Amino acid sequence: MTRSILISPSILSADFARLGEEVRAIDEAGCDWVHIDVMDGHFVPNITIGPNVVKALRPHTTKVFDVHLMISPVDQYLEAFVAAGSDIITVHPEAGPHIHRTVQHIKSLGVKAGVVLNPGTPAKMLDYLIDDVDLILVMSVNPGFGGQSFIDNQLRKIEAIRKMIDKTGREIHLQVDGGIDFTTAPKAIEAGADVLVAGTATFRGGPSAYADNIRKLRGG
Ligand code: DX5
Ligand code: ZN
């Protein structure tokens, strides 16, 4: 089956001194979504950006802001990220005590809700969440940094979740994040992913390379 593949560049690998221009450049280069990695130095060992930066970037593109929250606690920041212009908010079950409540909270704010599984978190975690989510993100690296190597055994998890999604009959995106490059992208797609996050592989070579990088990641 051929499903259309969406590319969501992670701006973690962009030039942070020129973030607005970088977002415009990946937009013009044909990305589908913009992946924004929010890290707090507590849930993950790195600190990145907050809602003010998301808000500042919003006028630079009309593309979907795909916001991956790696912060704990998470619930009290959801409103701010929605007000800043997020379209999809994705959360880790490990980030708070009540993932089901967090998913409902995100949906009540009028945006799409995603759940993300770390490499060590089993697909089973989704059993009582899948009917409520719009997106499932499989981490193919441990969260915290760009530029890490793809963990191959996550392909089996992607395959298992693809089956779970198809069983629901609902349209749920299956996203993969971490170590996606021209070699691992086709494997993730083959396993059933339809949204690829790519930081290093999108931004490598600077703005003149973005369109080519995105096309190659999509398999074109
Ligand atoms: C890791 C982040 C990823 C990361 C991907 O915690 O969630 O989005 O930026 O970077 P690459 O594509 O370089 O592995
Ligand atoms: Zn991410």
Side-chain angles (χ1 to χ4, degrees):
M1 169 193 181
T2 347
R3 54 176 67 86
S4 59
I5 302 303
L6 304 179
I7 304 298
S8 190
S10 162
I11 59 168
L12 193 57
S13 299
D15 178 350
F16 269 38
R18 302 169 36 253
L19 263 192
E21 282 167 55
E22 291 277 67
V23 165
R24 287 206 304 277
I26 52 171
D27 177 332
E28 283 159 22
C31 76
D32 298 287
W33 297 355
V34 177
H35 187 81
I36 303 177
D37 286 307
V38 176
M39 307 186 186
D40 65 354
H42 165 73
F43 182 67
V44 290
N46 194 4
I47 302 177
T48 56
I49 64 186
N52 286 342
V53 177
V54 177
K55 190 173 171 197
L57 291 174
R58 193 61 279 188
H60 290 271
T61 181
T62 56
K63 294 206 169 155
V64 165
F65 272 4
D66 159 32
V67 177
H68 176 190
L69 297 183
M70 288 162 274
I71 59 175
S72 176
V74 64
D75 296 282
Q76 61 258 51
Y77 298 105
L78 296 174
E79 270 90 352
F81 280 101
V82 171
S86 306
D87 298 292
I88 303 171
I89 293 189
T90 303
V91 289
H92 287 253
E94 297 87 355
H98 308 293
I99 182 64
H100 188 276
R101 175 180 286 148
T102 303
V103 166
Q104 305 306 327
H105 187 172
I106 296 169
K107 290 178 16 167
S108 77
L109 297 172
V111 298
K112 295 197 166 165
V115 166
V116 41
L117 303 186
N118 278 331
T121 305
K124 215 173 166 23
M125 168 63 82
L126 298 167
D127 281 359
Y128 299 95
L129 292 170
I130 194 162
D131 290 327
D132 289 305
V133 296
D134 303 292
L135 176 145
I136 295 163
L137 167 54
V138 172
M139 287 306 297
S140 38
V141 299
N142 284 293
F145 303 95
Q148 304 181 78
S149 301
F150 188 88
I151 302 171
D152 267 309
N153 69 8
Q154 298 305 301
L155 291 169
R156 275 192 284 138
K157 196 192 288 179
I158 296 168
E159 283 168 11
I161 296 174
R162 168 49 60 195
K163 287 196 187 119
M164 292 168 77
I165 289 175
D166 289 349
K167 234 193 216 162
T168 67
R170 289 178 56 239
E171 275 191 34
I172 304 171
H173 287 295
L174 180 48
Q175 184 177 50
V176 58
D177 182 6
I180 291 291
D181 57 23
F182 305 143
T183 310
T184 54
K187 294 187 194 174
I189 294 168
E190 173 73 28
D194 71 313
V195 187
L196 306 182
V197 175
T200 309
T202 301
F203 288 94
R204 182 173 284 137
S208 63
Y210 297 168
D212 239 28
N213 291 345
I214 290 170
R215 189 176 41 75
K216 284 189 199 145
L217 286 166
R218 213 193 293 281

